[in-house]
Amino acid sequence: MGDTVRTLAYGSWPSPIDAALAAAHDGHPDHVGFVGDEAWWTEPRPAEGGRRTLVRRRPDGAEEPVLPAPWNVRSRVIEYGGQPWAGVVRDEGPLVVFVNFADQQLYAFEPAGSGSASGAEPRPLTPVSPVGGGLRWADPQVRPERGEVWCVLEEYTGDGPGDVRRVLAAVPLDGSAAEDRSAVRELTDDRNRFVTGPRLSPDGRRAAWLAWDHPRMPWDGTELLVADVTDDGTLGEPRRVAGGPDESVAQAEWDRDGALLWAGDRTGWWNLYRDGEPLCPREEEFGGPLWTIGRRWFAPLDSGLIAVVHGRGATALGILDPETGEVVDAAGPWSEYEATLAVDGSRVVTVAASPRSAYEVVELDARTGRARVVGAAHHDPVDPSYYPEPQIRTFTGPAGREIHAHVYPPHHPGHVAPGGALPPYVVWAHGGPTSRSPLVLDLEIAYFTSRGIGVAEVNYGGSTGYGRAYRNRLREQWGVVDVEDCAAVALALAEEGTADRDRLAVRGGSAGGWTTAASLVSTDVYACGTILYPVLDLVSWAADETHDFESRYLESLVGPLAEVPARYTERSPVEHADQVTAPFLLLQGLDDVICPPAQCERFLARLRERARPVPHAYIAFEGEGHGFRRAETTVRVLEAELGLYAQVFGFDPPGVPVLELTK
């Protein structure tokens, strides 16, 4: 490249970060655990249909995929899934149980020794049910002393999304339930709509788990239940230890001495408690939203210390001394840690990333404080000088409220824009909406910034990581606060001279797709938008057009449908398709059961009723569900999105196909 810096218009800079490169690095490792003294985790394979495989780290440091295609280690419990595997070491060798995505059966697998990547074929432990969504499993706990695996069972009783029950269940490890549903031993009744997997006390005499019911979501209110375990392996009557309608308990674990630890937000922040006593009261989060079953923000160590993922906004990995309440954070370059932890002696394994590195499997030695990468190590696929330099910003929104955001200005080591020119910017609205955008290296963001397009990720009111009060800003205000906060950030960037006011765009998927569509029908801030697998019709979505887990979510986000039906109509983008004036791109998976294609089709039908429909493109993907996983899909999505901005903002990105817009 030399020292020559060329001048080209924003959006036209050539970049080595093409769509194929970004797609190849989509997804990250997750669901860490130990099998004996080996660290294991799941890892995505975008080029293999988006499946997830199990990976183990051998004692010599070699990483080895355990399950070949087409095995796909992924649960569909509550559709978003959860911890899909667990393993133990017996005298005869390691035993791993996992959920296979295609049939949702629970399988047992006995991997071979170090000379082979796989042993005998996995054998099914559970049957396939022909009823509705069938039988699904998550958050397994292997109990070899009983010859069972204890886990969450989700069982469909009919064809409707709400025809479902969830219980704690024990599955025989000998495979006797593979053809016989009656061989599955139910440990609880189905009095609670949702449950997490059981955690056994060190002496095996008590079990703890979380439960909640409609219309609450787990970040609204959960109950921490404890039951005695009898000699014959049954559970006694559960009793509530913590939590309730207005307190969210995100995780519970037993300490080595039999004390019960949990993360609850009774103070407005998810803090840690030990038998009801606060361990480290801070205005920080030691927990988070339970979007998937079995998340872990903390893990007790044999020493009595506790490994914790904590923070306000960004997260850190620390070691908490429960006697003093002090937390010592691990040193290292990582600034974001996932809610997945596993411990073995003084070893703590998790998944971490930074603005300069993608997610890696990281191990911390709690005795020395030394942290190192042990799996899925980040390797720069291009010169890191092409990565964006993010800024952590706080903006002021309506009524003076704070809005947290990450701003990624355009950046290229060999190109600049003409003097006086301002760059286009795309506001990214995250999904959830009870979620957060982490500050990590994302090649999909770099795909745009390295071409001269700025990105601003907005953690609008309702986002997690900033306490319950910030989270509750969105209560009954979905489609208002999120829209206002995104617009406030976009306009602030324009007013301060960072972004071109006439070249602002908005994009998002799922709940972010809703925010994008709602922004296009209710504001004139944006010149265009990219809408991915969105909610567009609140009335139909609340009635019977989504899955059970989120079927009552709108009661907190919008209000009870029976009490405020006009609000559902007023805020739905499908009812205001005639107000869209900005071109848009709509992207949808045809197998999506969370935000089904019918939402998009209804919106487009309303749009076609106009005498002069706004320019737009609709691309639907066979075999894709809620969130795209296949490499070829990601390539098409990124190139189509860039194609939209090229036409609307007036630049010519090299090597990108022209997006055909319906006019």
Side-chain angles (χ1 to χ4, degrees):
M1 183 171 58
D3 298 324
T4 302
V5 176
R6 296 184 59 198
T7 299
L8 279 178
Y10 285 118
S12 301
W13 301 343
S15 172
I17 305 174
D18 61 14
L21 185 69
H25 293 80
D26 193 31
H28 59 77
D30 200 357
H31 302 303
V32 299
F34 278 101
V35 181
D37 59 1
E38 288 186 2
W40 290 45
W41 60 89
T42 67
E43 208 170 275
R45 295 289 186 264
E48 299 177 21
R51 76 180 186 98
R52 295 191 72 90
T53 189
L54 268 176
V55 177
R56 68 193 293 185
R57 186 179 193 272
R58 293 287 190 179
D60 63 3
E63 293 175 42
E64 185 176 90
V66 178
L67 292 165
W71 297 105
N72 188 355
V73 184
R74 182 178 157 213
S75 169
R76 282 189 64 185
V77 167
I78 67 168
E79 292 299 343
Y80 292 114
Q83 181 72 26
W85 76 276
V88 295
V89 172
R90 307 165 301 170
D91 291 341
E92 57 269 39
L95 170 69
V96 175
V97 297
F98 69 92
V99 180
N100 184 48
F101 181 74
D103 53 24
Q104 286 299 290
Q105 287 179 273
L106 195 65
Y107 285 81
F109 177 52
E110 299 171 3
S114 59
S116 172
S118 63
E121 279 290 300
R123 52 185 175 85
L125 298 179
T126 57
V128 174
S129 171
V131 179
L135 301 176
R136 302 176 180 181
W137 314 86
D139 208 4
Q141 309 287 315
V142 182
R143 300 197 62 193
E145 78 282 2
R146 292 199 56 84
E148 295 178 326
V149 53
W150 287 20
C151 50
V152 174
L153 162 60
E154 180 178 83
E155 180 174 26
Y156 279 80
T157 58
D159 293 330
D163 298 329
V164 63
R165 58 193 296 270
R166 298 177 186 89
V167 299
L168 302 185
V171 177
L173 286 169
D174 62 9
S176 57
E179 302 294 338
D180 182 7
R181 165 67 178 83
S182 65
V184 174
R185 193 165 62 89
E186 296 193 6
L187 300 170
T188 63
D189 57 27
D190 57 2
R191 72 182 70 180
N192 295 116
R193 191 69 168 187
F194 304 96
V195 291
T196 63
R199 299 291 183 265
L200 283 174
S201 60
D203 62 6
R205 306 296 297 177
R206 290 173 293 168
W209 67 95
L210 306 181
W212 68 97
D213 296 284
H214 285 317
R216 297 193 302 273
M217 299 300 287
W219 41 85
D220 296 325
T222 56
E223 294 184 339
L224 171 54
L225 303 177
V226 173
D228 294 330
V229 182
T230 64
D231 291 338
D232 63 358
T234 59
L235 298 183
E237 183 67 17
R239 54 192 181 275
R240 183 172 66 86
V241 173
D246 299 310
E247 178 186 358
S248 167
V249 178
Q251 182 193 340
E253 304 286 344
W254 297 95
D255 208 347
R256 73 200 191 290
D257 61 357
L260 187 58
L261 304 166
W262 69 83
D265 73 343
R266 63 180 61 168
T267 65
W269 299 84
W270 276 300
N271 278 191
L272 282 184
Y273 296 85
R274 188 178 191 271
D275 284 343
E277 295 298 319
L279 291 181
C280 182
R282 295 184 181 185
E283 290 190 348
E284 288 185 18
E285 306 285 32
F286 289 76
L290 204 63
W291 277 104
T292 59
I293 304 298
R295 284 292 168 199
R296 298 186 82 187
W297 289 268
F298 68 89
L301 299 166
D302 292 341
S303 63
L305 303 176
I306 304 170
V308 293
V309 172
H310 70 105
R312 184 168 182 159
T315 53
L317 173 64
I319 300 296
L320 166 65
D321 184 341
E323 297 299 323
T324 65
E326 294 181 355
V327 179
V328 178
D329 288 337
W334 310 284
S335 57
E336 290 284 350
Y337 292 81
E338 288 285 272
T340 179
L341 283 175
V343 298
D344 175 51
S346 63
R347 299 163 62 199
V348 181
V349 171
T350 186
V351 173
S354 78
R356 305 296 290 180
S357 60
Y359 285 100
E360 308 170 287
V361 181
V362 173
E363 179 181 296
L364 168 68
D365 186 329
R367 294 173 302 180
T368 65
R370 177 174 176 264
R372 59 179 181 142
V373 175
V374 296
H378 171 78
H379 298 288
D380 291 313
V382 297
D383 186 332
S385 64
Y386 288 93
Y387 299 160
E389 297 288 348
Q391 304 167 358
I392 301 174
R393 299 283 303 273
T394 301
F395 295 87
T396 301
R401 63 177 182 250
E402 288 187 345
I403 307 167
H404 302 287
H406 304 145
V407 177
Y408 298 82
H411 176 75
H412 193 294
H415 288 83
V416 294
L422 292 176
Y425 257 80
V426 184
V427 169
W428 284 30
H430 63 70
T434 311
S435 186
R436 181 177 66 92
S437 293
L439 188 68
V440 299
L441 176 63
D442 184 340
L443 290 186
E444 293 190 17
I445 291 177
Y447 175 79
F448 293 103
T449 57
S450 62
R451 285 169 167 76
I453 303 169
V455 171
E457 292 182 311
V458 181
N459 285 318
Y460 48 80
S463 301
T464 50
Y466 308 98
R468 191 176 184 112
Y470 196 88
R471 197 163 80 237
N472 282 349
R473 286 184 188 176
L474 211 57
R475 291 188 71 85
E476 300 196 2
Q477 295 298 310
W478 197 36
V480 179
V481 165
D482 50 325
V483 170
E484 290 178 345
D485 285 2
C486 287
V489 170
L491 293 174
L493 292 173
E495 290 168 5
E496 71 185 24
T498 298
D500 185 339
R501 173 64 184 89
D502 295 326
R503 295 193 294 173
L504 298 173
V506 60
R507 71 95 78 176
S510 189
W514 153 270
T515 300
T516 298
S519 297
L520 294 180
V521 302
S522 63
T523 78
D524 61 357
V525 173
Y526 308 103
C528 61
T530 300
I531 308 168
L532 300 95
Y533 38 90
V535 178
L536 295 170
D537 182 351
L538 292 179
V539 176
S540 297
W541 201 80
D544 59 2
E545 215 166 66
T546 192
H547 61 146
D548 183 60
F549 176 57
E550 293 180 274
S551 61
R552 304 283 294 277
Y553 195 7
L554 296 185
E555 293 193 25
S556 61
L557 290 177
V558 182
L561 177 59
E563 298 177 16
V564 290
R567 189 183 296 167
Y568 279 63
T569 302
E570 174 190 345
R571 294 191 191 167
S572 292
V574 72
E575 300 293 338
H576 305 287
D578 60 326
Q579 297 177 21
V580 179
T581 58
F584 65 89
L585 170 64
L586 185 57
L587 302 156
Q588 177 68 44
L590 292 178
D591 292 345
D592 193 339
V593 297
I594 297 171
C595 295
Q599 292 268 315
C600 293
E601 293 160 3
R602 203 172 298 126
F603 180 78
L604 293 172
R606 294 290 183 88
L607 192 73
R608 286 192 290 269
E609 294 174 0
R610 297 171 51 165
R612 298 180 62 184
V614 67
H616 66 277
Y618 176 51
I619 306 174
F621 299 96
E622 293 185 1
E624 292 282 12
H626 195 68
F628 303 141
R629 296 175 179 271
R630 298 177 175 178
E632 60 269 27
T633 302
T634 301
V635 169
R636 184 83 189 280
V637 166
L638 287 174
E639 291 184 344
E641 185 174 355
L642 183 57
L644 173 70
Y645 305 148
Q647 292 191 50
V648 175
F649 295 154
F651 54 75
D652 183 20
V656 176
V658 174
L659 176 68
E660 294 186 10
L661 296 176
T662 300
K663 300 180 179 180

